[in-house]
Amino acid sequence: MKQLLITVLLSGSCGFLAAQKTVKTPAIYKPVRTEMYKKGWIDFNKNGVKDIYEDPSAPVNARIEDLLKQMTLEEKTCQMVTLYGYKRVLKDDLPTPEWKNQLWKDGIGAIDEHLNGFQQWGLPPSDNEYVWPASRHAWALNEVQRFFIEETRLGIPTDFTNEGIRGVESYKATNFPTQLGLGHTWNRELIRQVGVITGREARMLGYTNVYAPILDVGRDQRWGRYEEVYGESPYLVAELGIEMVRGMQQDYQVAATGKHFIAYSNNKGGREGMSRVDPQMSPREVEMVHVYPFKRVIREAGLLGVMSSYNDYDGFPIQSSYYWLTTRLRGEMGFRGYVVSDSDAVEYLYTKHNTAKDMKEAVRQSVEAGLNVRCTFRSPDSYVLPLRELVKEGGLSEEVINDRVRDILRVKFLVGLFDHPYQTDLKGADEEVEKAENEEVALQASRESIVLLKNDQDVLPLDISGIKKIAVCGPNADECSYALGHYGPLAVEVTSVLKGIQEKTDGKAEVLYSKGCELVDANWPESELIDFPLTEEEQKEIDKAVSQAKEADVAVVVLGGGQRTCGENKSRSSLDLPGRQLDLLKAVVATGKPVVLVLINGRPLSINWADKFVPAILEAWYPGAKGGKAVADVLFGDYNPGGKLTVTFPKTVGQIPFNFPCKPSSQIDGGKNPGMDGNMSRANGALYAFGYGLSYTSFEYSDLKITPAVITPNQKTYVTCKVTNTGKRAGDEVVQLYVRDVLSSVTTYEKNLTGFERIHLKPGETKEVSFPIDRKALELLNADMHWVVELGDFTLMVGASSTDIRLNGTLTVVDCINDSTPQSKENEAPISASTNQETVNNVVDNNPTTFWEGNKGDYITFALQNEAKVDGISIAFHRDNGLETDFEIQLSSGGGQFLTVYSGTVKEYHKLLNFPFKGTTASDLRIVLGSDRVGITEIKLPQIKK
């Protein structure tokens, strides 16, 4: 094996040494078989003719069909599997002559995690010479790609897939906070920037598909993967997921693959058993909480990949469910990418779920259900060979295989693999990956993710001018491993909290450090159940921290969790501080010195004692490689924390399930009077509620307006208010909008988050914040499981958290607007719409850059001249993601009844297209959208009423 000369990266260390053989890498990559590479196209099948699939100007569907009809069964089935990369399944870093005798001589669907540096859990990054630098890595992936293009019959490029939930997984790359931390920024634009950087760095390294974002909604705080969710609100998960996907898939630089589909993140007691069986949810909760983000991200951001999850729901494994993978995912949500299995999801059908008798049956069930690509740490032969047998035996139709392969090829065409299969700018890779501008975005994300939970008597920010000594202790004070685990960059320089404080106070104050205790103790996790006495060594370490705290002017205690206590397959039985951490904290507080608690962890913790007795608490989650600097900036007032909780902090695991959103009156039982003579039987309420977070300044809310205050179900209204910084420091406020259906046919949640905006205000500054409200914010699932907006009143609440509501008002939804109301004037206009009425004239302004936009089911209506006969219309459509969409043209002869006269599919955008239909006399013409986020830029319809 080719070796780097030196590689040192111990688990939990903050530094590394890396040097390698000097290997000259060209600035520009050029493939070898130059006769294949024509001007403007590539002769993939080496026949000297520009086939349709080789023609960049041909429509994508035509290219797919042309290639598909040339493929053999062997080539098709090879597209339906992943080959795990170097040292996972693939033993070679670069192609060898033996590859011509391997299964992938006929191509391969994807190669996952190839040369990304990850070896196995607990091992240091790979020392292979092609792992780093970026240019060398990109060159190596090009060489692997060149095998599939030049040495296979049809030259179908492979899809290089990789992880990327906190930056692309590579030896080095821009390292962001984990996804839970990113969620706490509440910053859409920032999340889009994170997506752009993740996608751009991935493509420059040679990857074309990144497994992110995670669209699971947090439900059980004990769950090991809570560190990977954006939060507990399906609306917030959808909003941030949309931005992440739009950023990653910008200009189709990569495909984004969202995970885990579906109903994955709510297991009984947080138990996992690898297959995550038996989620305890009603069908209505699954739809409103878990389906909601996937549906919106697919429709509004054009998500190109979905990872099917391990779990079953109501006894049916998702992996073998035609209902979930086809009827719902493709039929209802309009998904047009490819589905990849989560690791052993196929194998679990017979090894865990016992719904398939063997691997062959598991393959059949999965493919029939809708699986496109099997991805796990096994030989691709184990999937492809039984797949071929099934087709030859008649157990699977080859037409089903064709359908699955179409989806795979579509993604490959969309991300440009058939037009630009190589990452040719090798020098650019070195310049792009981890560049200074990207690092600044990472630092911003780290800062914005921090939440100030408590700040009694303004202990924070610390005044360095009045401090001579600072005592820093805790198992996470000098820890860095939280930023270097799987699913993100592996070997970047990490600034620990201790280092951040040392750099901030250099030359100004002395920093004393002692660890105080380990992250867990020798008896953990049994010590969560039994109170073992402190050992002599444990007491000695705590005494050292106490001694230093007594010397200092202030103590910073850095506690929480880490890779031992949180992560995949690491659910907990408690939410208390693990090990001896609480003993350490109590001992330091007992010194009487001011204490600041900093939490570095991947889930909410029940820090009841700290909340009662520690004056200042910061929650930093896993704040990424820049986390130590960000925490120090907050501690000393160079940055004013503005993060807000996207999760609920229970007081105890005994309250679980306890999360946002919740049903009305769900936290009021058990009495109210504590003590021997009281009637209280349980602890109620959250330790810290959803949306909560403090600041070093204060904000005042005023002037709530709802315009209009009366709407029909398909109209839009706007909620506006003013927010003023009434303190002495500039700061960020996350303004949150919640809605409550006052009277409904089924029980609804007490509050649904339906809008948020992170704003920055200088002292004394006022800003007006505006939230649009459309039917998506008001819908419920009725008794027939249909999404409807019921008539009546809705309470709209604006506040600083879900429990700190500052303003409220009432929105009324009616069946129709009375002619005497102002809204009726809009209906008299020649152009009206079910939503975004204010932009309807953009479709007749002869400006191709402006447009009216709506979602699936929305429509725009044109009043026609008296006795107008219409037999066609020209329409120019707009859609950011460029995916195909269905639409209908309807006509009305009066009375409000519209009949469909044309149904079609849009494949070209920003171009006037003619749509003829049988002519008839009509009073109105309507265009109905078949997908979300579809716009109309211009129409030509001479019969419009003047």
Side-chain angles (χ1 to χ4, degrees):
M1 181 185 69
K2 305 176 182 69
Q3 298 284 329
L4 299 183
L5 294 182
I6 304 174
T7 296
V8 178
L9 183 64
L10 300 177
S11 177
S13 69
C14 299
F16 60 90
L17 300 172
Q20 65 238 12
K21 290 190 277 185
T22 302
V23 181
K24 186 173 177 58
T25 303
I28 301 296
Y29 180 83
K30 294 182 179 179
V32 174
R33 288 183 60 173
T34 54
E35 72 277 4
M36 286 180 56
Y37 304 95
K38 313 294 185 180
K39 185 176 181 179
W41 64 285
I42 300 172
D43 188 11
F44 289 104
N45 61 6
K46 301 99 178 161
N47 66 354
V49 177
K50 184 194 286 187
D51 293 79
I52 295 173
Y53 86 90
E54 298 166 342
D55 184 358
S57 66
V60 168
N61 283 347
R63 300 179 77 178
I64 292 170
E65 295 306 318
D66 179 62
L67 176 54
L68 191 62
K69 72 182 181 183
Q70 297 187 43
M71 297 173 71
T72 64
L73 177 63
E74 287 69 27
E75 289 162 336
K76 292 172 185 176
T77 52
C78 276
Q79 289 300 305
M80 297 175 65
V81 71
T82 285
L83 171 62
Y84 252 91
Y86 178 61
K87 278 198 169 182
R88 308 304 298 281
V89 170
L90 187 58
K91 66 179 182 180
D92 307 308
D93 48 15
L94 295 180
T96 68
E98 188 186 13
W99 283 25
K100 295 289 287 183
N101 300 316
Q102 297 289 344
L103 180 89
W104 50 92
K105 70 182 184 300
D106 294 314
I108 204 77
I111 299 181
D112 194 34
E113 297 189 28
H114 188 54
L115 296 171
N116 71 349
F118 183 77
Q119 298 192 95
Q120 291 289 345
W121 297 98
L123 293 180
S126 169
D127 60 358
N128 182 277
E129 67 176 298
Y130 300 116
V131 165
W132 195 255
S135 56
R136 191 67 178 157
H137 179 277
W139 177 88
L141 262 60
N142 281 337
E143 285 295 285
V144 175
Q145 187 70 277
R146 190 166 66 84
F147 169 84
F148 293 101
I149 292 172
E150 297 183 0
E151 302 299 329
T152 65
R153 188 178 71 92
L154 295 176
I156 302 172
T158 190
D159 193 8
F160 283 107
T161 59
N162 198 3
E163 302 288 348
I165 61 173
R166 50 181 181 81
V168 61
E169 184 163 21
S170 173
Y171 188 74
K172 288 188 179 182
T174 303
N175 185 299
F176 298 100
T178 194
Q179 191 168 300
L180 183 59
L182 291 172
H184 281 77
T185 69
W186 297 70
N187 188 332
R188 294 179 181 86
E189 179 54 37
L190 175 62
I191 299 303
R192 186 184 283 223
Q193 286 182 276
V194 171
V196 169
I197 292 168
T198 300
R200 188 168 62 221
E201 290 189 346
R203 192 63 180 244
M204 293 302 285
L205 286 162
Y207 299 105
T208 49
N209 193 324
V210 178
Y211 293 160
I214 289 178
L215 298 175
D216 302 318
V217 181
R219 305 316 285 161
D220 189 328
Q221 293 87 339
R222 292 167 294 185
W223 188 42
R225 303 191 82 167
Y226 229 71
E227 63 185 44
E228 297 178 12
V229 304
Y230 282 128
E232 295 172 358
S233 162
Y235 174 82
L236 179 132
V237 172
E239 290 288 305
L240 298 187
I242 287 167
E243 297 305 323
M244 185 69 176
V245 171
R246 286 176 176 169
M248 290 173 66
Q249 293 187 172
Q250 179 174 289
D251 300 323
Y252 289 116
Q253 58 186 1
V254 296
T257 294
K259 52 188 185 178
H260 307 85
F261 187 86
I262 198 151
Y264 175 77
S265 55
N266 188 27
N267 321 103
K268 281 190 175 180
R271 294 186 291 272
E272 302 189 16
M274 289 301 290
S275 54
R276 281 88 177 171
V277 294
D278 200 14
Q280 47 183 12
M281 293 172 285
S282 68
R284 184 167 277 102
E285 182 177 353
V286 169
E287 296 299 325
M288 293 189 294
V289 174
H290 297 274
V291 173
Y292 178 92
F294 278 96
K295 183 164 62 176
R296 286 197 56 203
V297 174
I298 289 167
R299 288 179 176 178
E300 299 178 38
L303 183 69
L304 289 176
V306 159
M307 182 177 286
S308 55
S309 56
Y310 295 134
N311 59 284
D312 69 338
Y313 174 65
D314 194 26
F316 296 92
I318 302 300
Q319 183 56 74
S320 60
S321 172
Y322 184 89
Y323 172 77
W324 284 112
L325 298 187
T326 299
T327 303
R328 297 299 305 278
L329 182 62
R330 298 190 181 280
E332 178 194 314
M333 301 181 199
F335 178 66
R336 293 295 179 266
Y338 74 72
V339 178
V340 60
S341 67
D342 187 359
S343 193
D344 271 356
V346 174
E347 284 74 8
Y348 283 161
L349 294 179
Y350 74 93
T351 63
K352 296 270 181 147
H353 295 296
N354 299 316
T355 54
K357 66 179 181 179
D358 53 25
M359 181 61 180
K360 191 171 179 179
E361 175 64 14
V363 171
R364 185 193 66 77
Q365 290 181 9
S366 297
V367 174
E368 285 191 340
L371 180 67
N372 299 101
V373 175
R374 193 284 298 268
C375 176
T376 194
F377 314 104
R378 300 171 186 268
S379 162
D381 303 59
S382 64
Y383 183 80
V384 171
L385 297 183
L387 184 58
R388 291 174 181 172
E389 287 178 15
L390 284 163
V391 176
K392 291 174 181 176
E393 295 168 358
L396 265 177
S397 162
E398 189 162 355
E399 190 50 48
V400 172
I401 301 295
N402 291 344
D403 281 345
R404 302 297 174 262
V405 175
R406 283 186 179 97
D407 299 325
I408 301 164
L409 296 178
R410 182 182 301 111
V411 173
K412 291 187 175 186
F413 277 112
L414 288 173
V415 299
L417 274 171
F418 285 88
D419 303 323
H420 307 285
Y422 302 113
Q423 201 296 82
T424 57
D425 186 7
L426 302 181
K427 180 181 178 182
D430 290 330
E431 295 170 348
E432 178 65 38
V433 178
E434 217 183 6
K435 69 180 181 182
E437 296 94 319
N438 297 349
E439 295 291 287
E440 281 301 311
V441 176
L443 177 58
Q444 180 191 357
S446 297
R447 287 169 171 159
E448 291 195 15
S449 69
I450 295 173
V451 184
L452 179 61
L453 295 178
K454 186 179 179 184
N455 193 23
D456 279 2
Q457 300 176 347
D458 294 330
V459 168
L460 292 176
L462 300 174
D463 182 2
I464 191 64
S465 66
I467 297 174
K468 294 181 180 179
K469 288 185 180 181
I470 301 174
V472 180
C473 67
N476 277 337
D478 197 28
E479 185 60 50
C480 299
S481 61
Y482 59 79
L484 299 175
H486 196 13
Y487 302 130
L490 300 167
V492 299
E493 292 284 358
V494 180
T495 302
S496 69
V497 174
L498 175 64
K499 184 177 180 181
I501 292 173
Q502 290 171 333
E503 291 176 349
K504 184 71 68 175
T505 59
D506 187 30
K508 300 173 184 176
E510 182 182 356
V511 177
L512 309 174
Y513 167 69
S514 60
K515 194 169 189 178
C517 68
E518 298 296 331
L519 189 73
V520 300
D521 62 90
N523 296 299
W524 194 86
E526 189 182 13
S527 57
E528 294 188 338
L529 311 177
I530 301 172
D531 187 13
F532 291 91
L534 284 165
T535 66
E536 184 178 337
E537 188 61 33
E538 289 171 339
Q539 187 64 62
K540 182 179 178 180
E541 189 63 25
I542 290 174
D543 290 343
K544 181 179 177 181
V546 168
S547 176
Q548 291 183 346
K550 289 178 178 178
E551 283 186 57
D553 300 298
V554 63
V556 178
V557 186
V558 191
L559 307 177
Q563 292 186 24
R564 175 68 178 85
T565 68
C566 195
E568 192 167 3
N569 304 315
K570 293 176 183 175
S571 294
R572 286 187 62 189
S573 51
S574 170
L575 293 180
D576 296 337
L577 287 166
R580 301 305 189 182
Q581 294 185 44
L582 183 56
D583 296 288
L584 171 64
L585 181 62
K586 287 180 176 180
V588 174
V589 170
T591 65
K593 296 297 178 76
V595 175
V596 179
L597 170 61
V598 177
L599 294 170
I600 307 287
N601 52 287
R603 61 160 64 84
L605 297 176
S606 297
I607 51 168
N608 297 286
W609 191 92
D611 177 67
K612 197 170 188 68
F613 297 108
V614 178
I617 305 174
L618 284 177
E619 175 59 82
W621 307 113
Y622 293 146
K626 306 295 183 184
K629 175 173 173 51
V631 169
D633 286 345
V634 170
L635 289 174
F636 294 98
D638 295 314
Y639 184 80
N640 186 353
K644 301 272 190 169
L645 294 182
T646 64
V647 294
T648 302
F649 277 59
K651 294 175 180 176
T652 168
V653 292
Q655 293 175 290
I656 294 174
F658 181 22
N659 40 47
F660 179 90
C662 58
K663 293 292 183 71
S665 303
S666 59
Q667 288 291 314
I668 64 171
D669 66 325
K672 296 183 179 180
N673 301 313
M676 294 174 61
D677 299 324
N679 64 350
M680 190 173 183
S681 63
R682 59 176 292 168
N684 274 323
L687 184 61
Y688 306 111
F690 180 90
Y692 170 82
L694 303 176
S695 171
Y696 295 155
T697 189
S698 56
F699 300 96
E700 183 179 277
Y701 289 60
S702 63
D703 298 332
L704 178 73
K705 295 179 181 177
I706 303 172
T707 310
V710 180
I711 62 172
T712 63
N714 286 319
Q715 283 184 304
K716 179 181 286 187
T717 190
Y718 291 87
V719 180
T720 60
C721 71
K722 292 180 180 178
V723 182
T724 302
N725 184 344
T726 55
K728 297 180 180 179
R729 288 177 177 266
D732 290 2
E733 175 69 332
V734 178
V735 187
Q736 301 160 45
L737 174 65
Y738 297 89
V739 64
R740 167 79 183 276
D741 195 340
V742 175
L743 179 65
S744 52
S745 61
V746 296
T747 305
T748 58
Y749 292 116
E750 186 176 62
K751 295 184 184 78
N752 279 306
L753 181 70
T754 193
F756 61 86
E757 200 68 41
R758 183 167 182 147
I759 59 174
H760 182 78
L761 294 172
K762 299 175 184 176
E765 183 181 5
T766 298
K767 284 186 179 178
E768 184 174 81
V769 182
S770 179
F771 300 105
I773 296 250
D774 60 15
R775 66 176 296 124
K776 286 199 300 292
L778 307 175
E779 287 180 324
L780 59 75
L781 269 174
N782 66 11
D784 297 320
M785 296 298 284
H786 296 148
W787 286 102
V788 298
V789 177
E790 295 187 340
L791 307 183
D793 290 341
F794 293 81
T795 300
L796 303 182
M797 298 158 278
V798 178
S801 81
S802 62
T803 56
D804 184 9
I805 300 300
R806 307 289 182 86
L807 306 168
N808 60 72
T810 300
L811 171 69
T812 301
V813 178
V814 297
D815 189 32
C816 62
I817 304 296
N818 188 282
D819 289 343
S820 63
T821 62
Q823 289 93 331
S824 64
K825 294 180 180 178
E826 293 180 352
N827 295 333
E828 294 170 5
I831 309 176
S832 61
S834 60
T835 186
N836 296 329
Q837 177 67 32
E838 68 278 5
T839 61
V840 294
N841 288 326
N842 288 344
V843 304
V844 290
D845 64 358
N846 293 314
N847 183 349
T849 65
T850 62
F851 52 88
W852 167 83
E853 186 179 60
N855 294 319
K856 184 177 181 179
D858 284 332
Y859 51 82
I860 185 167
T861 305
F862 305 91
L864 305 179
Q865 300 168 13
N866 288 336
E867 301 300 318
K869 186 172 183 179
V870 58
D871 58 3
I873 183 175
S874 297
I875 311 171
F877 287 90
H878 162 89
R879 198 176 193 195
D880 284 336
N881 58 34
L883 297 179
E884 296 178 359
T885 180
D886 298 330
F887 74 101
E888 290 184 357
I889 299 172
Q890 300 176 342
L891 293 179
S892 173
S893 298
Q897 182 178 9
F898 282 84
L899 299 176
T900 299
V901 295
Y902 186 95
S903 297
T905 300
V906 183
K907 301 179 181 180
E908 298 180 82
Y909 293 96
H910 295 279
K911 176 182 178 182
L912 272 173
L913 305 173
N914 297 319
F915 301 104
F917 45 82
K918 186 176 180 180
T920 186
T921 301
S923 60
D924 301 271
L925 181 145
R926 175 174 289 176
I927 304 169
V928 183
L929 305 180
S931 302
D932 285 354
R933 294 290 175 95
V934 176
I936 296 175
T937 63
E938 292 295 316
I939 65 103
K940 296 297 180 185
L941 184 63
Q943 298 90 341
I944 292 181
K945 184 183 290 185
K946 306 300 182 185

